[in-house]
Amino acid sequence: MALKDIMDEKNVEKLEALGNKHVEKIVEEFASICKPAKITVLTDSQEDIDYVKGLSVENGEESKLGIDGHTIHFDGYFDQARDKGNTQILLSDGVKVAKNINTMERETGLKEVLGIMDGIMEGKEMLVCFFCLGPTNSEFSIPALQLTDSAYVAHSEYILYRSGYGQFKKLEGSDKFFHFVHSVGELENNVCKNIDKRRIYIDLMHNRVFTVNNQYAGNSVGLKKLALRLAIKKANEENWLTEHMFVSGIHPKGKDRVTYFTGAFPSACGKTSTAMLPGNTVIGDDIAYIRVGSEGEARAVNVEQGIFGIIRDINAKGDPYIFSAITSPREAIFSNVLVKDGKPHWLGMNEEIPKAGINHSGEWTEGKKDEAGNEITPSHKNARYTIRINELENADPHADDSKGVPVSGFIYGGRDSNTTIPVAESLSWPHGVFIGVTIESETTAATLGAEGKLVHNPMSNIDFLTVPLSTYINSHLRFGEYIDKPIKIFSTNYFLKEEGEYLNGMLDKKIWLLWMELRVHNEVEAIETPVGWIPKYADLKELFKTYLDKDYSEEDYNKQFALRLSKYLAKFDRIEAIFKEEQDIPQVFWDHLEQQKERLNAAKEQFGKEVILPSEFETSGQ
Ligand code: SAT
Ligand code: MN
């Protein structure tokens, strides 16, 4: 099949202007498999981008809301989160990635998914879009080709990613790009009908992902979590890092400096809100590439340029920048919220929610139940907004720097209600890597399945690993050796509870971040404990007063930072059992596990009790 047989002349010209036979071959191949009625090639021009935006409204995937530029998109009732069960990494060599990562024999997987794709775009328009992961014209840039029959997916990508038609020209014909083929499949009332045939298959061998019969962006948008998987493989082979991390600048009061941190948190565990804390300047909220810069420093870029954020609990008080952005005119896509009279409503917006409207279940009235008898919330817990970061008041001026920004600290967070203290600095780089890969976190609405289940989530990347866990750990250990300017590694937990009540307020994370910033600059001392360095009460008290005008009590401090030794020991026993089932885990990891347990046991013996207050470590000189 020749290009001219499947596209009009204008589109053929646009494609051929790239001078890339690999791109042409991919378009030909998937046009012949998916059999679209029409193919449209998009460049970086505003006219082309506007075409996609218009198309998503014209074909009903999005509808206009009352505020200029705002649209609403609904995903199907059973397509509201990432589908881990139907996501498979296709591997031919029998390599196991990690115990809980689905892998499938490559040929079998390809046959199945290509079979589902046969004729899947009949009667539809295939959009051929070009993007760049990371800033353009940069060492970080990875060109990415997206074929999709969803204008919503393409529209989301033009908000979330840098367009990359120009970047493809710079490839000079090479095949060094990622590609993604997506189809919503058959639609009924604008949502996917054949969810039983939903598949997300990752073909590492050819840097490509096939995803069908879905719309939820975490499943459909190639450049987000699908590209993350391909990039993890690439980074691990090329000695840099691809991480599920925000990038954000901290600006301490009265000091003329900005200190950049990156932080990994599982979805819906406070990543965006940490990146966006008032006073910070934000570069990215979800995925970072990190490389060693020319002066031996770690440098990070945001892979994206937009936010696909959880809308639940976004309100004027807690998230002023985002709230202001999504309630004023600009290009913004809302998904799976409740709509009434052209206005979006969501859980936790601090306004009264109407008792009827349209939501992800169709016509909704209060008390409506689904087929299983579960009450349907007005907006879905994983409902989202999609906006560009550079439109936010707190966007960092270096967000698009081709060299990225220098990073001084890594943060690993999780959702843990009874063990991990709110903030701790690891004792060394390898100890920090150990802390990162032993994160356990309770599951949330961002993935399909039960919520609140404690799962091991190394560096919040477990859902996306495409290399064996051992390789991933080794890459991190090595990265610490490549950098000449040390990075401190911290852990956080915002979700510690006592008798069902959170021990911390929503904004306390700001204080932890500012404390980390001071540690990076060696401006505060800390208390050494078996799990790392922790803040001194006096320093936190001062920070709480200065930044939140809050009198932080010693009682609160003691509750939050008391070390629950048996809980920690139980955690590391669970971790030991999990890692024993993995292959080739580096000896350094086992050494750290041993030392970690020894330190905890020694404290238990020394103090002869279960819960140790920070002041006891301070005076014991441990
Ligand atoms: O569902 S996504 O993985 O795309 C978004 C997120 O939860 O981080
Ligand atoms: Mn994420």
Side-chain angles (χ1 to χ4, degrees):
M1 192 190 275
L3 286 176
K4 65 175 179 22
D5 300 329
I6 49 172
M7 280 189 261
D8 68 21
E9 209 176 310
K10 199 173 89 224
N11 283 295
V12 173
E13 259 172 41
K14 282 181 179 175
L15 205 57
E16 286 183 344
L18 294 174
N20 194 310
K21 292 285 169 228
H22 302 284
V23 171
E24 291 174 19
K25 209 169 138 255
I26 290 167
V27 175
E28 278 168 10
E29 183 184 351
F30 289 94
S32 86
I33 293 173
C34 302
K35 307 182 180 62
K38 180 181 175 187
I39 300 176
T40 304
V41 177
L42 289 313
T43 67
D44 298 339
S45 76
Q46 195 56 46
E47 188 189 341
D48 284 4
I49 297 173
D50 286 345
Y51 172 77
V52 169
K53 195 162 75 178
L55 187 64
S56 57
V57 173
E58 210 174 286
N59 73 12
E61 285 184 273
E62 293 174 35
S63 316
K64 288 189 178 175
L65 292 170
I67 294 180
D68 218 23
H70 291 196
T71 53
I72 169 76
H73 162 81
F74 289 112
D75 299 307
Y77 190 74
F78 300 102
D79 188 20
Q80 293 286 322
R82 268 187 279 117
D83 180 356
K84 285 169 45 171
N86 282 310
T87 303
Q88 305 274 355
I89 300 168
L90 307 181
L91 292 173
S92 45
D93 45 12
V95 176
K96 200 72 198 136
V97 177
K99 203 177 136 269
N100 294 320
I101 299 282
N102 300 337
T103 53
M104 192 172 188
E105 203 279 315
R106 184 170 176 270
E107 290 305 321
T108 315
L110 282 181
K111 203 162 160 238
E112 184 196 0
V113 73
L114 295 177
I116 297 176
M117 289 166 82
D118 188 5
I120 201 165
M121 294 188 190
E122 267 167 20
K124 295 194 186 153
E125 176 169 355
M126 179 197 266
L127 301 171
V128 180
C129 315
F130 301 90
F131 298 99
C132 183
L133 294 156
T136 53
N137 304 319
S138 145
E139 190 190 3
F140 292 94
S141 312
I142 302 177
L145 164 65
Q146 171 82 62
L147 310 185
T148 180
D149 58 11
S150 166
Y152 159 71
V153 165
H155 181 203
S156 298
E157 289 180 328
Y158 282 114
I159 296 177
L160 293 171
Y161 302 94
R162 289 125 175 145
S163 60
Y165 181 82
Q167 195 71 30
F168 266 81
K169 283 192 172 162
K170 297 203 180 88
L171 276 173
E172 294 177 346
S174 105
D175 64 353
K176 296 210 172 346
F177 58 88
F178 293 169
H179 68 283
F180 306 93
V181 187
H182 167 253
S183 172
V184 294
E186 228 178 300
L187 293 179
E188 197 171 63
N189 298 326
N190 284 318
V191 300
C192 297
K193 191 171 161 199
N194 303 319
I195 51 166
D196 59 319
K197 295 210 179 72
R198 180 162 63 209
R199 298 290 183 275
I200 302 149
Y201 283 3
I202 296 144
D203 183 18
L204 297 177
M205 191 184 270
H206 290 302
N207 277 317
R208 60 184 180 175
V209 181
F210 305 115
T211 177
V212 292
N213 294 308
N214 61 62
Q215 290 169 297
Y216 172 68
N219 297 319
S220 63
V221 165
L223 279 84
K224 201 166 189 56
K225 294 308 190 328
L226 312 186
L228 172 59
R229 290 161 169 113
L230 300 179
I232 285 178
K233 171 99 180 338
K234 187 171 164 65
N236 276 267
E237 284 167 359
E238 297 174 357
N239 297 327
W240 48 280
L241 301 177
T242 292
E243 298 304 314
H244 192 200
M245 280 178 155
F246 72 70
V247 186
S248 190
I250 318 302
H251 302 252
K253 270 189 193 166
K255 293 181 178 144
D256 189 21
R257 69 181 182 221
V258 48
T259 311
Y260 291 101
F261 282 79
T262 62
F265 297 64
S267 303
C269 291
K271 181 144 57 85
T272 303
S273 59
T274 306
M276 289 280 171
L277 277 165
N280 288 11
T281 47
V282 63
I283 292 204
D285 86 316
D286 198 29
I287 307 169
Y289 292 160
I290 305 168
R291 286 176 175 267
V292 183
S294 58
E295 284 163 31
E297 78 286 27
R299 299 195 77 88
V301 295
N302 181 11
V303 171
E304 313 180 284
Q305 64 164 14
I307 304 183
F308 173 61
I310 296 178
I311 201 163
R312 185 182 185 181
D313 292 332
I314 298 287
N315 53 57
K317 192 156 166 273
D319 294 276
Y321 302 117
I322 297 173
F323 188 78
S324 133
I326 62 178
T327 48
S328 54
R330 76 193 60 250
E331 198 170 345
I333 308 173
F334 293 77
S335 48
N336 309 315
V337 294
L338 177 73
V339 176
K340 176 92 204 285
D341 301 328
K343 188 173 178 322
H345 301 267
W346 57 89
L347 300 168
M349 77 185 292
N350 284 357
E351 279 176 28
E352 204 174 323
I353 298 187
K355 303 211 177 317
I358 307 283
N359 76 359
H360 59 292
S361 73
E363 291 275 356
W364 176 86
T365 46
E366 199 177 41
K368 180 174 175 183
K369 296 207 164 74
D370 65 12
E371 279 164 25
N374 302 313
E375 186 154 337
I376 302 170
T377 49
S379 70
H380 192 273
K381 284 187 195 169
N382 195 30
R384 304 267 175 163
Y385 60 89
T386 303
I387 53 171
R388 288 193 181 87
I389 288 184
N390 65 8
E391 295 190 1
L392 293 169
E393 272 170 64
N394 58 337
D396 189 279
H398 300 290
D400 280 318
D401 269 15
S402 58
K403 287 194 163 53
V405 293
V407 183
S408 302
F410 280 6
I411 305 169
Y412 294 112
R415 177 183 286 265
D416 161 3
S417 47
N418 63 20
T419 306
T420 319
I421 52 176
V423 61
E425 176 189 327
S426 57
L427 299 168
S428 62
W429 178 269
H431 180 239
V433 173
F434 168 78
I435 294 294
V437 296
T438 56
I439 291 282
E440 291 178 299
S441 193
E442 289 149 25
T443 49
T444 69
T447 51
L448 297 175
E451 282 177 54
K453 202 171 133 233
L454 193 65
V455 296
H456 172 227
N457 195 347
M459 296 173 174
S460 301
N461 239 345
I462 189 71
D463 289 353
F464 315 110
L465 286 190
T466 44
V467 295
L469 190 54
S470 54
T471 308
Y472 184 67
I473 297 174
N474 276 322
S475 297
H476 277 266
L477 289 169
R478 274 203 313 267
F479 195 79
E481 289 163 20
Y482 299 147
I483 45 175
D484 297 328
K485 293 197 178 149
I487 296 182
K488 284 189 187 287
I489 302 182
F490 300 88
S491 64
T492 60
N493 175 26
Y494 306 151
F495 302 94
L496 205 54
K497 283 184 181 170
E498 194 182 64
E499 288 160 12
E501 296 286 316
Y502 286 115
L503 283 177
N504 287 103
M506 293 281 270
L507 282 179
D508 292 3
K509 50 174 101 71
K510 183 176 172 77
I511 304 305
W512 315 150
L513 214 54
L514 286 155
W515 178 78
M516 294 182 228
E517 204 270 349
L518 292 173
R519 285 296 292 166
V520 161
H521 294 280
N522 294 317
E523 290 176 7
V524 280
E525 290 181 349
I527 305 168
E528 191 176 356
T529 77
V531 295
W533 298 92
I534 69 169
K536 291 188 162 182
Y537 170 64
D539 296 322
L540 292 183
K541 186 177 158 68
E542 192 180 324
L543 289 169
F544 269 101
K545 192 72 203 160
T546 312
Y547 288 91
L548 299 180
D549 194 23
K550 184 172 152 183
D551 291 316
Y552 181 59
S553 73
E554 195 151 9
E555 193 191 338
D556 278 352
Y557 170 73
N558 281 337
K559 275 191 189 163
Q560 294 160 7
F561 287 92
L563 235 55
R564 296 154 184 87
L565 297 176
S566 296
K567 289 268 189 268
Y568 268 106
L569 282 162
K571 170 191 162 106
F572 290 114
D573 282 346
R574 289 194 297 275
I575 290 294
E576 185 164 356
I578 292 167
F579 276 80
K580 273 191 175 150
E581 292 192 33
E582 299 288 349
Q583 311 275 309
D584 304 321
I585 295 299
Q587 188 54 40
V588 187
F589 174 89
W590 296 117
D591 294 346
H592 276 274
L593 180 64
E594 205 43 50
Q595 291 161 15
Q596 182 64 81
K597 285 167 66 172
E598 266 171 33
R599 285 195 302 270
L600 288 161
N601 279 317
K604 214 170 166 180
E605 204 150 294
Q606 183 186 350
F607 297 103
K609 56 179 182 173
E610 195 35 56
V611 180
I612 321 283
L613 299 180
S615 57
E616 298 180 88
F617 287 113
E618 203 169 10
T619 49
S620 81
Q622 197 189 351

